[in-house]
Amino acid sequence: SRSAMDHQPKFFENLSGAGKAIAVLTSGGDAQGMNAAVRAVVRMGIYVNAKVYFIYEGYQGMVDGGDNIVEVSWESVSSILQVGGTVIGSARCKSFRTREGRLQAACNLVQRGITNLCVIGGDGSLTGANLFREEWSGLLEELAQKGKIDAEAVKKYAYLNIVGMVGSIDNDFCGTDMTIGTDSALHRIIEVVDAIMTTAQSHQRTFVLEVMGRHCGYLALVSALACGADWVFIPEYPPEEGWEDSMCVKLSENRARKKRLNIIIVAEGAIDCHNKPITSEKVKDLVVQRLGFDTRVTILGHVQRGGTPSAFDRILASRMGVEAVLALLEATPDTPACVVSLSGNQAVRLPLMECVQMTQEVQKAMDEGRFLEAVRLRGRSFENNLNTYKLLSHKKPDAELPKSNFNVAVLNVGAPAAGMNAAVRAAVRVGMTEGHKIFAVIDGFEGFARGKIKEISWGDVGGWTGQGGSILGTKRTLPAKYLEKIADQMRTNNINALMVIGGFEAYLGLLELSAAREKYDEFCVPMVMVPATVSNNVPGSDFSIGADTALNTITDTCDRIKQSASGTKRRVFIIETMGGYCGYLANMGALAAGADAAYIFEEQFDIRELQANVEHLTEKMKTSIQRGLVLRNENCNENYTTDFIYQLYSEEGKGVFDCRKNVLGHMQQGGAPSPFDRNFGTKISAKAMQWISKKLKETYRKGKVFANTDDSVCLLGMRRRNLVFQPVAELKSETDFVHRIPKEQWWLKLRPLMKILAKYKTSYDVSDSGQLEHVAMLPKEAETGAI
């Protein structure tokens, strides 16, 4: 898309939906976030002057017609963003599978002039939609022959356009990194596992947890990765012959290491290498018979499909919904039906049938026992998860580990961020697997200078993935004033490489250490930084560990506040978020919570803007939605403080609405890490440690490590679709050091989205979207940032 961007940018204001009718339906199993997608389709459709219709009860409603197909307004989708499931209903529909059923459906759509369909569902629902599209002209001719529609209508409504969005908690659809609902389902699983851990710990029990996923092991695999389960069973990767023995050995070894509990996760579709099912009961009986451990089974069932959507799913679904409308506006009779999805951090369009065929290939490979192929077809994100899990869950006997004779120090720098501990755990375990000795530094650079450093082993980091904050302790202190002492400690402990997990201070710290290389040989070692800060303000990475957890905290709080405001009527809340000068939390929080405005430092605003926002809210109070939500980043403007904005709104809104304010504060740094942060922290940190091993080998000369080039001090970040190592020296030009933010931030492109969904007229550059890509079998080396 780079070349496309050098041409004229494409703005969505120039795309009109006038004269078009779009219908949205949800089909198949429900998933959290479907409502957010429905809301985005409806509002974006109305925004571009199209007519938008709900089809209630999925394809059944399309066949039954009548009041199952209704035109909707802006307010129809108010207050559904935070609701799980789908408010327009979903049903399994037998009649749509028959030609008569589809004939009736076509008749119902044509009568209302609907030729654009947005289908939110799983692969079955999308395949059905594609067949409907292929038959469309034949169906219309048949209707004309039967006298149900006139010849004019056949010409006028000759083509049906279809865009799909995948809503499925299983994440079983090829071509999309994350389907709508997957992240929320992981939230439910992790909440349960965290709760079970405490009771298992008390009684020294073994728990077998069964999670959903008939044909796809994604949920089982990622939750096992996110909670450090002892064993996991998934359909794509059946255990080898004799797994019963190896599992029991593993469990008893863990007990011998003073571990008081075992967690085993079983996907409901788990099989052995002869395609025979492995059930949770079977696993339990095995553990009881062989080991005599006190064992319990917990089947999570439909809990996983319920509850409020996570911040990630709301943002994903909102982005996809807007993208779907754009795709419908640009569709021609010749473009294939497409699905909109995310690849890494980028919205893409893929031909629907290519994705479906690939998804079916996976199932075929599994049925035929080609399991390695099945894992490969699932895509690189799935493969990465599996490899990382294998790396971290089983400690090899010391005799089998290589001996590298290198010492690597790991430290946390900056403010605490949820997921830091998961990153430390992955670093320690991968480092040990690579044969290094790992040293943990307590309390950041300050602790380093004071010699607070000790060797840390495999067992020391057990159970760390679920712990919030920073167990090692973290400080904002920069190394510059302690250079002499830190160099001493590096020499004393013979440290050959540094891994720094932290925020903007960690980045500044590495810059200072690399500048000090001229004077101190001790700093001529490979150093890598893994970004971890709630603010997400580190240059070189789209995401940082901890930001997702903070975003969920903000979203949960906003949901509660919105409820309170709805109860009192005509009330506007001003909410202050953290982030330093970086508006990520305020902007994305506003998108996820359905706020009316978000004030951020990156987009300057003046009194006229504040005035316009007040007028906008005054108009809103005349509708049925009588509440307002405004987010303000803590440093967005030194004079327009939270108090100032609160007082201004209170004065200007007199007689129309009243105002309250709320400063969220440090609760944004705390809490158990979200599944995204556990997983992202684990994977990015494992990759960083592998880079350290590679650099140590490259820079080891004549019995010592000596690294003094720029490319030996790197930051590992996620850029669009890839995890990339970038020399910190090269990132200097991309950094605004005064305000501690990157000069260019990807999420500012999503800013118009929030405004559109809040009914503001705005300009939106959509040059990035629109190229139809193909589902490629990706080469082994390619690593996505997808979790």
Side-chain angles (χ1 to χ4, degrees):
S1 64
R2 266 277 157 257
S3 54
M5 285 176 67
D6 301 335
H7 305 308
Q8 230 27 56
K10 179 173 75 178
F11 288 97
F12 100 111
E13 308 74 296
N14 308 336
L15 296 169
S16 166
K20 295 191 176 183
I22 299 172
V24 58
L25 73 146
T26 52
S27 168
D30 69 321
Q32 306 95 321
M34 280 183 166
N35 289 327
V38 168
R39 169 181 179 266
V41 170
V42 168
R43 293 198 165 170
M44 184 69 172
I46 291 172
Y47 198 93
V48 295
N49 293 319
K51 280 183 163 184
V52 186
Y53 291 83
F54 273 168
I55 300 179
Y56 287 102
E57 313 309 336
Y59 287 118
Q60 193 62 54
M62 201 195 293
V63 175
D64 296 345
D67 52 11
N68 285 307
I69 307 178
V70 292
E71 191 178 347
V72 289
S73 69
W74 191 272
E75 278 102 70
S76 309
V77 289
S78 169
S79 302
I80 67 170
L81 186 63
Q82 61 271 35
V83 181
T86 161
V87 293
I88 56 178
S90 174
R92 310 262 177 215
C93 173
K94 285 211 174 66
S95 48
F96 192 74
R97 294 195 173 156
T98 65
R99 188 171 165 97
E100 290 73 58
R102 293 192 289 274
L103 192 68
Q104 189 50 52
C107 184
N108 291 330
L109 293 184
V110 169
Q111 280 165 357
R112 295 168 178 79
I114 298 169
T115 55
N116 294 284
L117 270 191
C118 180
V119 183
I120 307 165
D123 56 349
S125 315
L126 299 180
T127 315
N130 193 58
L131 176 66
F132 190 42
R133 180 187 180 190
E134 283 169 0
E135 289 182 351
W136 182 257
S137 52
L139 293 171
L140 293 203
E141 277 164 24
E142 193 175 325
L143 287 169
Q145 280 164 10
K146 293 187 174 168
K148 298 250 179 91
I149 59 173
D150 55 27
E152 185 53 37
V154 178
K155 277 214 283 287
K156 190 173 175 192
Y157 304 123
Y159 301 106
L160 177 68
N161 295 319
I162 282 179
V163 172
M165 276 184 266
V166 192
S168 146
I169 64 166
D170 291 343
N171 203 17
D172 57 356
F173 195 77
C174 293
T176 62
D177 277 342
M178 286 294 267
T179 58
I180 296 167
T182 306
D183 187 65
S184 303
L186 286 171
H187 271 261
R188 296 301 92 79
I189 296 170
I190 294 300
E191 283 155 18
V192 170
V193 175
D194 284 355
I196 278 178
M197 290 263 209
T198 55
T199 162
Q201 198 90 42
S202 313
H203 294 276
Q204 300 200 33
R205 280 195 173 131
T206 295
F207 270 86
V208 181
L209 277 109
E210 184 181 305
V211 301
M212 281 184 164
R214 275 197 310 263
H215 308 294
C216 178
Y218 184 89
L219 290 177
L221 178 56
V222 174
S223 48
L225 197 57
C227 71
D230 295 286
W231 202 270
V232 66
F233 293 97
I234 58 173
E236 294 87 345
Y237 187 74
E240 294 159 10
E241 284 286 10
W243 60 269
E244 294 89 345
D245 299 331
S246 24
M247 182 180 81
C248 291
V249 168
K250 167 94 202 289
L251 295 179
S252 41
E253 269 178 10
N254 278 356
R255 284 293 168 98
R257 283 204 207 101
K258 305 274 189 292
K259 190 174 174 191
R260 293 176 61 93
L261 77 161
N262 306 107
I263 300 273
I264 300 168
I265 293 181
V266 184
E268 60 179 333
I271 46 174
D272 64 17
C273 50
H274 306 298
N275 258 336
K276 297 269 187 303
I278 296 178
T279 64
S280 39
E281 277 303 323
K282 182 175 167 183
V283 175
K284 175 198 155 171
D285 295 342
L286 186 77
V287 176
V288 173
Q289 280 160 14
R290 297 258 186 119
L291 301 171
F293 289 172
D294 187 356
T295 308
R296 296 284 188 276
V297 172
T298 300
I299 296 173
L300 296 192
H302 283 75
V303 165
Q304 295 162 86
R305 278 219 189 132
T308 180
S310 63
F312 182 95
D313 272 333
R314 296 182 196 196
I315 292 165
L316 171 68
S318 301
R319 286 176 72 180
M320 296 302 95
V322 167
E323 187 69 27
V325 173
L326 291 176
L328 283 171
L329 292 181
E330 294 180 12
T332 67
D334 309 322
T335 47
C338 73
V339 287
V340 289
S341 93
L342 260 204
S343 168
N345 187 22
Q346 201 171 353
V348 291
R349 294 179 196 173
L350 301 160
L352 187 145
M353 284 324 284
E354 282 184 27
C355 298
V356 169
Q357 275 149 7
M358 182 108 143
T359 305
Q360 288 165 350
E361 283 295 310
V362 180
Q363 192 51 50
K364 216 170 107 192
M366 277 155 53
D367 293 342
E368 294 169 9
R370 301 192 318 259
F371 294 109
L372 283 173
E373 183 67 2
V375 170
R376 210 171 63 95
L377 286 167
R378 274 272 180 248
R380 41 188 183 173
S381 152
F382 190 89
E383 215 172 342
N384 285 349
N385 281 319
L386 187 56
N387 294 335
T388 310
Y389 176 76
K390 290 197 290 205
L391 208 58
L392 296 174
S393 61
H394 302 273
K395 180 181 192 296
K396 289 188 179 144
D398 292 340
E400 284 177 33
L401 288 175
K403 281 274 177 287
S404 72
N405 297 322
F406 291 127
N407 296 343
V408 181
V410 178
L411 65 159
N412 290 168
V413 175
M420 277 182 162
N421 301 320
V424 173
R425 168 183 176 266
V428 169
R429 292 195 169 177
V430 173
M432 287 183 69
T433 310
E434 308 258 314
H436 314 316
K437 270 191 183 166
I438 309 293
F439 287 81
V441 177
I442 314 297
D443 297 340
F445 288 120
E446 197 174 306
F448 208 163
R450 295 200 183 137
K452 291 182 169 180
I453 177 167
K454 59 172 202 285
E455 194 179 340
I456 185 168
S457 68
W458 188 279
D460 296 337
V461 291
W464 278 28
T465 43
Q467 307 287 321
S470 162
I471 297 172
L472 293 184
T474 178
K475 285 262 188 292
R476 289 179 177 272
T477 324
L478 292 170
K481 56 180 188 185
Y482 297 116
L483 289 172
E484 184 80 38
K485 288 179 171 166
I486 294 175
D488 278 348
Q489 289 299 329
M490 301 250 319
R491 197 169 46 248
T492 314
N493 295 288
N494 190 20
I495 299 297
N496 310 112
L498 268 192
M499 175 153 164
V500 185
I501 300 165
F504 203 84
E505 286 86 359
Y507 166 64
L508 292 176
L510 282 193
L511 286 171
E512 292 182 358
L513 290 179
S514 63
R517 279 174 162 182
E518 293 170 33
K519 197 170 166 199
Y520 300 98
D521 273 2
E522 287 83 358
F523 300 136
C524 295
V525 296
M527 304 187 209
V528 67
M529 167 180 168
V530 169
T533 163
V534 295
S535 307
N536 196 20
N537 63 332
V538 178
S541 191
D542 288 359
F543 291 121
S544 61
I545 299 166
D548 184 70
T549 305
L551 206 50
N552 275 296
T553 305
I554 292 168
T555 310
D556 288 347
T557 311
C558 287
D559 285 351
R560 293 181 187 197
I561 287 173
K562 259 168 98 171
Q563 220 166 24
S564 141
S566 300
T568 37
K569 292 276 182 302
R570 300 194 183 202
R571 178 163 285 178
V572 175
F573 274 87
I574 315 282
I575 297 172
E576 181 185 306
T577 69
M578 278 183 158
Y581 284 94
C582 175
Y584 179 81
L585 290 178
N587 188 68
M588 298 309 250
L591 191 54
D596 294 284
Y599 297 117
I600 59 172
F601 169 76
E602 293 87 347
E603 193 173 285
Q604 295 294 302
F605 57 97
D606 56 19
I607 196 75
R608 286 184 293 278
E609 201 118 355
L610 292 170
Q611 179 67 32
N613 290 148
V614 171
E615 284 163 14
H616 190 268
L617 283 165
T618 308
E619 282 308 300
K620 185 176 173 179
M621 294 301 160
K622 294 177 188 166
T623 69
S624 56
I625 321 171
Q626 300 188 336
R627 55 173 164 66
L629 191 63
V630 174
L631 271 64
R632 176 190 174 274
N633 157 272
E634 56 185 356
N635 290 348
C636 64
N637 186 305
E638 57 178 328
N639 293 316
Y640 298 148
T641 59
T642 302
D643 283 328
F644 176 91
I645 292 177
Y646 161 69
Q647 285 162 347
L648 177 90
Y649 272 64
S650 298
E651 180 61 34
E652 295 294 313
K654 264 191 187 147
V656 185
F657 56 81
D658 66 354
C659 209
R660 294 284 183 276
K661 66 175 188 251
N662 205 326
V663 176
L664 296 183
H666 281 75
M667 63 188 278
Q668 294 164 88
Q669 277 179 12
S674 66
F676 183 96
D677 281 332
R678 294 179 192 202
N679 200 357
F680 184 57
T682 299
K683 278 164 81 168
I684 195 169
S685 166
K687 199 171 161 64
M689 188 53 83
Q690 288 165 333
W691 177 88
I692 283 181
S693 299
K694 187 173 121 248
K695 283 289 173 207
L696 283 169
K697 286 195 192 80
E698 286 171 12
T699 56
Y700 185 68
R701 297 274 175 282
K702 301 186 183 151
K704 66 174 286 200
V705 171
F706 187 79
N708 66 345
T709 52
D710 280 353
D711 66 358
S712 60
V713 187
C714 278
L715 179 149
L716 172 56
M718 184 178 145
R719 280 277 171 100
R720 275 191 146 168
R721 303 190 189 187
N722 300 303
L723 288 171
V724 278
F725 289 94
Q726 304 144 98
V728 288
E730 287 174 16
L731 291 172
K732 284 209 287 219
S733 60
E734 298 179 24
T735 312
D736 169 351
F737 284 99
V738 178
H739 300 103
R740 306 159 53 95
I741 52 175
K743 288 180 185 167
E744 280 189 27
Q745 305 190 72
W746 67 273
W747 53 267
L748 282 167
K749 280 208 165 125
L750 299 187
R751 189 141 167 89
L753 264 183
M754 187 211 99
K755 294 183 179 173
I756 289 166
L757 295 174
K759 216 174 186 173
Y760 282 93
K761 285 275 174 264
T762 181
S763 175
Y764 183 26
D765 178 354
V766 291
S767 316
D768 259 7
S769 59
Q771 284 80 27
L772 195 65
E773 303 194 1
H774 292 284
V775 186
M777 267 313 308
L778 296 150
K780 279 287 298 161
E781 296 71 66
E783 265 266 18
T784 54
I787 68 151

